[in-house]
Amino acid sequence: MATTASQEAFLQAFHAEQPSVTAEVFGRGRALDGRSSYEILCDRVAGSRRVLDLGCGDGLLLECLAREGDRQLAGVDLSAESLALARRRPALSGARLEQGRAQELPFADDSFDACAAHLALMLMGEIEQVAAEVARVLSPGGVLACVMGGGAVGGEAYARFLGLLRSTVTNLPAAQRIPALGDGRTRSRDGLDSVLGPAGFSAVDWETIHLDLSGRVGQVWTAVSGMYDLGPLDRATVERLREAFFAEVMDMTTPGGRVPCAVAMHVATARLR
């Protein structure tokens, strides 16, 4: 099992090279009701005046949160490069943006009414400590709202990509494989309850949505190739994977050139008792 330090070192190195990749991939995705996963998360903390974005990346979620006026916003992230992009967003000129770890949040007790995390909690080690820190900085009754990845949907392009990826990385040396990231308990309702309950949170409200990332084959490749697994691969291996993916999805491409691609995502909400 990879240590938290090695996990965090990998994530920092990956986002130093691709500081806005998460927003670029998922910012254009839409659920069946037309909302992005960022907008869904914003709706889960609607009415909260003091909001922390845990793993804020380049600030897209915070920018969405800023649309509800009169808010005190803060974000924390491991990546200095991602935070530099967040600081360039005019809507975040008044936000407090800190480089730091979720296990040691640089905020006082009872600082926030809500904490949101978009595809971040699932990557974190020492998850009980993260839960304790979030509980510490939230006021009683405060909301924790998270979006976590849930995998492929049916036989669409993302499912086929994952099959190709598995066959590509299976026999690669350790230097070309990513460390195990996060804690698997965050990817199920019961598992997340087992983490958050002891920290003082209510039972988790859990919803699974499908996010549509369909588009032309190049757009879909850009989306699926933003995965962490490709980070350690050399260019030749990535190019072979790209060519195999283009060939793999030819039979599902519509006459108009559209490739169907959807990912499952879990939206979890809990309230501090």
Side-chain angles (χ1 to χ4, degrees):
M1 174 70 74
T3 66
T4 300
S6 65
Q7 293 170 354
E8 292 178 358
F10 169 80
L11 291 169
Q12 284 182 299
F14 183 91
H15 287 289
E17 295 292 327
Q18 301 188 67
S20 60
V21 64
T22 306
E24 290 171 353
V25 169
F26 293 100
R28 72 176 186 85
R30 292 295 180 270
L32 291 176
D33 61 9
R35 291 180 297 167
S36 71
S37 52
Y38 294 91
E39 290 167 334
I40 289 171
L41 206 48
C42 285
D43 290 345
R44 292 296 181 100
V45 299
S48 299
R49 195 173 72 85
R50 303 173 301 159
V51 185
L52 169 65
D53 183 352
L54 193 69
C56 64
D58 73 345
L60 181 58
L61 176 60
L62 283 168
E63 187 174 71
C64 181
L65 288 164
R67 294 172 191 163
E68 185 175 318
D70 192 31
R71 269 184 160 160
Q72 295 177 19
L73 298 176
V76 62
D77 201 273
L78 287 172
S79 171
E81 292 79 7
S82 295
L83 286 167
L85 295 180
R87 292 188 179 103
R88 295 178 192 171
R89 295 182 184 266
L92 305 185
S93 60
R96 179 180 171 186
L97 301 174
E98 299 278 355
Q99 185 177 9
R101 305 176 66 240
Q103 298 85 352
E104 302 171 89
L105 290 173
F107 306 105
D109 296 0
D110 302 331
S111 291
F112 302 102
D113 307 309
C115 175
H118 186 276
L119 296 178
L121 191 73
M122 57 189 257
L123 301 174
M124 296 174 182
E126 301 171 15
I127 195 65
E128 286 90 355
Q129 181 61 24
V130 174
E133 278 291 275
V134 172
R136 180 183 65 78
V137 301
L138 281 178
S139 295
V143 176
L144 170 63
C146 308
V147 167
M148 273 86 69
V153 175
E156 294 190 352
Y158 184 53
R160 296 198 185 183
F161 169 77
L162 290 178
L164 292 170
L165 178 63
R166 281 191 291 269
S167 64
T168 298
V169 303
T170 295
N171 297 315
L172 290 177
Q176 288 188 276
R177 303 175 74 171
I178 67 171
L181 297 174
D183 190 308
R185 288 174 293 174
T186 62
R187 295 174 182 265
S188 72
R189 182 176 187 170
D190 289 345
L192 193 57
D193 268 331
S194 73
V195 171
L196 296 181
F201 287 91
S202 65
V204 171
D205 177 76
W206 184 269
E207 178 187 7
T208 299
I209 62 171
H210 291 173
L211 201 68
D212 185 13
L213 297 173
S214 302
R216 304 194 74 82
V217 65
Q219 291 176 307
V220 174
W221 167 253
T222 297
V224 300
S225 64
M227 289 182 59
Y228 290 116
D229 301 74
L230 272 66
L233 303 183
D234 59 64
R235 290 185 180 181
T237 301
V238 172
E239 180 58 24
R240 286 193 296 272
L241 184 60
R242 188 188 71 85
E243 291 174 355
F245 176 76
F246 275 50
E248 183 71 20
V249 300
M250 282 184 64
D251 68 313
M252 66 171 64
T253 305
T254 69
R258 188 173 179 81
V259 177
C261 182
V263 297
M265 305 187 93
H266 305 306
V267 185
T269 309
R271 192 172 292 274
L272 189 64
R273 294 190 292 265

